[in-house]
Amino acid sequence: MKNIISILIVLSVLMIPYTSQAQQINWRTFKDNKTHMVNVNMGWEYGMIAGIGYGQKLKTTLPVVLNMEYSSPFGKQLFDDFKIKLGGQAEVLKINNFSASAKAYGIFRRYENDLVRLLNFGSEFSTNVGYYKTKWYVAGEFGFDKAIVTHIKNTEVMKNNYPGIQDGWYIPTGGNFFYGIISGYSFKSNDVYIKVGKSSTQDFTTAPTMPFYLQVGFNRRF
Amino acid sequence: MKSKLKFICIAIIAVIAAFTFTGCKKELTLKEPGNLVPKTVTEDPALPAISVNGTKLHSETFGNPDSPMVVVLHGGPGTDYRSMLNCKGLADDGYFVVFYDQRGCGLSQRHDKNTYSLQLMLDDLTAVISRYRKSPVQQIFLLGQSWGAMLATAYVNAYPAAIRGVVLAEPGGFTWQETKDYISRTRKLSPFTEDTNDQFYFDQVLTGNKNDHTVLDYKMAIAAAFDSREGNALGNAGAYPFWRFGAVTQAALFEIANRDGFNWTTHLGQFTTKILFCYSELNKAYGPEHAGLVSSAYPNVQLERINGSGHEIPYFGWNNFHPLVKNYLDSFK
């Protein structure tokens, strides 16, 4: 396990110089003369969150953007819960104004409350299919967020309740599908967007306690 | 740029290969019994248990089996009797005290979600009483906390002649509407607070299907921090002990209540015996108004406030609760 984590950490560090914007891109406005993008966003995703992102468009035949994003839920302790996503997205299909993109991210998450601390490495794969104009776009989104391996560390309260409780690396620990719609408006070097959708556990028999997500965001290209 | 991209691709493949081929033999699994939540009576034969009504319940008794019986009913639905073990002190007062973890809860046997009904929970209680009762004239008392007090009332409403007396500690309500109103006051959340992300944020890391009991039980335990955090609406002074939360039991019974509703006051008028109804001083969601409303369904009520306690009265308020319970039970001698 230590080897895997080392590789993930090294990979994360290596990817930072190449990573690019956050979540949503209007492929029609992301031209080669402005290949960098910063993003701020806010919404509900397993909690009320705020996020920032940075991205860079690669000079490749296939439009590819590498991304890095950090988000954290609101609350008194800002750094006890957070999520970092590193990865990229590519426009894999373009027919007139219709476009399909594929996204792949590595994820590191942290969660802590009075009873437990969770450190998770996961992945997210998703696709957007939609209609993109230079001023606006609308697309559907479908994806899968897999919690691959999680380190669980229980606090003394939990250990006092159950001395046999096992701290350690648990694999796998879960996964959620998500699906929704996205729409954005572009002006000058900026985009604003909103996306809304639902989430469900990987076998579709249960749902997260609050099974929806909502995000509004702003991109600035430079 | 191309060489850097190639390196990234190779690194990604390396990570996937590492996950695939290293085997991760030392890693733990969420579903393995005993890893995150204790083993139940079906997994650990050394635990004290009784087999009744088609299930195996974790159960203990204290006191002389021939004495008047006090059956202790824990809250939730879905928690267990560990936080109510102070009640075994009633054995020293001359009572036969019976504890059991309700079906699917604590260390009792788990069952699939679609097997539950409210009648089944009442039948379990009937079976527990029958299992321990020594004679038809042995007096039976029910002592319930929160959901346990609701279950006790549902039982009295269904079988008014079967029970000699009742001690109730902060039942949410005896109708679904009363209960929903109370729950909504205990669960007020602002989206921008730490409490909110403590409740929801781990949903992206730990998931289980509807019958993944171990995962769901552990998640419920994590979420329980809400009821004991500093400044909690329930007035609890801190964490209280538990063995295992029965998440499937809780989900099943809430689903039934949401679908069918309930009203357990329809025959309470026949139960003219005085009951002891207690509410806590520190539970901000309860208070004398709700206590008065809920208790009014019984025709003869001794209503008492337990000073210095929050919702978990038998745990945090035992010193003030115990004399009232003892005096109440002794009044039937």
Side-chain angles (χ1 to χ4, degrees):
Chain A
M1 175 47 64
K2 283 181 181 171
N3 290 337
I4 295 172
I5 293 165
S6 302
I7 290 168
L8 284 167
I9 291 168
V10 169
L11 178 63
S12 303
V13 171
L14 286 171
M15 286 180 73
I16 285 172
Y18 311 102
T19 53
S20 155
Q21 102 65 27
Q23 306 272 359
Q24 302 309 326
I25 293 171
N26 184 346
W27 293 103
R28 300 291 78 80
T29 59
F30 209 166
K31 306 294 185 189
D32 285 344
N33 60 337
K34 289 183 177 179
T35 58
H36 301 271
M37 181 183 278
V38 290
N39 164 270
V40 291
N41 61 74
M42 187 177 162
W44 178 272
E45 187 187 343
Y46 307 104
M48 186 60 79
I49 62 151
I52 54 171
Y54 167 75
Q56 184 178 344
K57 186 168 185 277
L58 302 182
K59 291 176 180 171
T60 49
T61 310
L62 182 73
V64 174
V65 173
L66 296 180
N67 301 58
M68 173 175 67
E69 185 181 345
Y70 171 87
S71 64
S72 175
F74 288 88
K76 268 196 300 190
Q77 288 130 6
L78 267 184
F79 298 105
D80 64 334
D81 312 313
F82 62 81
K83 175 157 69 174
I84 296 170
K85 292 166 72 172
L86 296 168
Q89 51 187 299
E91 186 180 26
V92 294
L93 184 67
K94 178 179 179 295
I95 302 171
N96 298 324
N97 289 321
F98 289 96
S99 172
S101 59
K103 303 178 183 182
Y105 294 93
I107 301 176
F108 175 70
R109 292 175 263 233
R110 188 184 193 280
Y111 167 87
E112 184 172 0
N113 74 356
D114 294 341
L115 302 179
V116 68
R117 186 205 68 195
L118 309 174
L119 303 176
N120 168 259
F121 289 99
S123 62
E124 180 184 305
F125 297 95
S126 65
T127 182
N128 285 9
V129 178
Y131 187 79
Y132 290 77
K133 299 277 282 182
T134 51
K135 285 286 185 186
W136 60 273
Y137 66 93
V138 61
E141 175 180 57
F142 181 79
F144 181 55
D145 174 353
K146 179 71 177 174
I148 298 170
V149 57
T150 302
H151 187 269
I152 297 178
K153 182 175 171 55
N154 296 281
T155 66
E156 287 305 308
V157 176
M158 290 292 262
K159 288 175 180 172
N160 287 338
N161 263 334
Y162 175 38
I165 200 165
Q166 299 289 310
D167 288 350
W169 288 98
Y170 283 78
I171 181 170
T173 57
N176 288 319
F177 283 103
F178 57 93
Y179 47 95
I181 56 169
I182 308 154
S183 185
Y185 173 71
S186 304
F187 56 100
K188 295 181 180 174
S189 296
N190 311 299
D191 307 317
V192 289
Y193 66 86
I194 182 168
K195 64 177 186 173
V196 61
K198 283 196 73 176
S199 50
S200 170
T201 54
Q202 55 193 349
D203 67 346
F204 292 104
T205 62
T206 56
T209 315
M210 295 288 270
F212 65 85
Y213 60 90
L214 168 72
Q215 187 183 90
V216 291
F218 172 78
N219 297 333
R220 172 78 178 177
R221 299 180 298 278
F222 58 97
Chain B
M1 178 59 79
K2 278 185 179 174
S3 63
K4 288 174 181 174
L5 194 60
K6 188 184 287 181
F7 179 79
I8 291 171
C9 292
I10 291 168
I12 290 169
I13 292 166
V15 170
I16 293 167
F19 271 111
T20 307
F21 298 116
T22 55
C24 298
K25 287 178 184 169
K26 291 179 184 172
E27 281 66 51
L28 302 156
T29 59
L30 294 175
K31 295 178 186 178
E32 180 68 24
N35 276 351
L36 290 173
V37 294
K39 292 179 178 177
T40 67
V41 289
T42 56
E43 297 154 345
D44 181 358
L47 292 168
I50 55 172
S51 293
V52 294
N53 199 33
T55 189
K56 196 170 182 183
L57 302 176
H58 173 231
S59 179
E60 292 174 280
T61 63
F62 299 87
N64 182 348
D66 294 318
S67 298
M69 183 194 298
V70 179
V71 183
V72 177
L73 300 170
H74 64 72
T79 61
D80 58 48
Y81 70 73
R82 192 174 182 184
S83 64
M84 299 191 72
L85 279 169
N86 280 333
C87 298
K88 68 185 178 185
L90 296 171
D92 298 330
D93 300 329
Y95 296 93
F96 178 51
V97 187
V98 174
F99 294 92
Y100 75 98
D101 285 337
Q102 292 159 28
R103 177 179 291 255
C105 304
L107 305 182
S108 288
Q109 182 181 350
R110 295 178 169 105
H111 293 274
D112 284 350
K113 191 177 169 189
N114 58 8
T115 62
Y116 283 85
S117 71
L118 290 167
Q119 185 58 48
L120 189 65
M121 305 303 282
L122 298 181
D123 292 344
D124 284 350
L125 177 51
T126 300
V128 169
I129 292 169
S130 300
R131 170 69 175 72
Y132 288 116
R133 195 171 203 175
K134 290 293 180 188
S135 77
V137 296
Q138 186 176 19
Q139 293 182 326
I140 308 296
F141 297 93
L142 302 180
L143 187 160
Q145 191 269 333
S146 193
W147 153 253
M150 295 165 65
L151 182 62
T153 296
Y155 197 83
V156 170
N157 192 56
Y159 314 110
I163 300 300
R164 187 69 186 96
V166 189
V167 178
L168 307 176
E170 288 199 346
F174 301 146
T175 67
W176 183 221
Q177 189 58 53
E178 282 176 358
T179 308
K180 279 194 294 186
D181 291 346
Y182 170 63
I183 291 171
S184 69
R185 291 197 294 275
T186 66
R187 297 276 152 189
K188 276 184 183 164
L189 281 172
S190 160
F192 296 99
T193 62
E194 192 70 27
D195 289 339
T196 299
N197 66 65
D198 279 356
Q199 282 288 294
F200 303 116
Y201 203 65
F202 65 95
D203 262 344
Q204 60 190 302
V205 176
L206 302 174
T207 64
N209 72 37
K210 65 180 179 182
N211 286 319
D212 275 344
H213 293 257
T214 311
V215 183
L216 300 176
D217 295 345
Y218 184 63
K219 287 182 71 174
M220 189 173 163
I222 292 175
F226 182 80
D227 291 341
S228 55
R229 79 206 190 284
E230 193 179 340
N232 65 85
L234 296 173
N236 290 325
Y240 53 91
F242 60 87
W243 284 299
R244 174 184 73 85
F245 288 131
V248 170
T249 304
Q250 183 182 71
L253 293 178
F254 267 99
E255 205 170 283
I256 291 166
N258 255 320
R259 186 189 64 215
D260 302 335
F262 59 81
N263 180 355
W264 296 324
T265 66
T266 51
H267 299 98
L268 289 184
Q270 297 173 27
F271 195 78
T272 53
T273 309
K274 184 175 75 177
I275 68 150
L276 175 61
F277 190 111
C278 300
Y279 67 98
S280 67
E281 177 192 20
L282 304 177
N283 185 346
K284 291 173 230 164
Y286 212 88
E289 195 175 322
H290 191 65
L293 172 72
V294 175
S295 64
S296 65
Y298 280 96
N300 190 358
V301 181
Q302 178 187 344
L303 184 61
E304 300 282 356
R305 186 175 83 168
I306 307 300
N307 291 327
S309 177
H311 183 59
E312 298 294 323
I313 289 172
Y315 186 73
F316 292 112
W318 177 249
N319 288 340
N320 293 328
F321 182 54
H322 177 213
L324 291 167
V325 176
K326 181 181 183 308
N327 287 340
Y328 172 75
L329 296 174
D330 286 349
S331 70
F332 292 90
K333 283 184 176 172

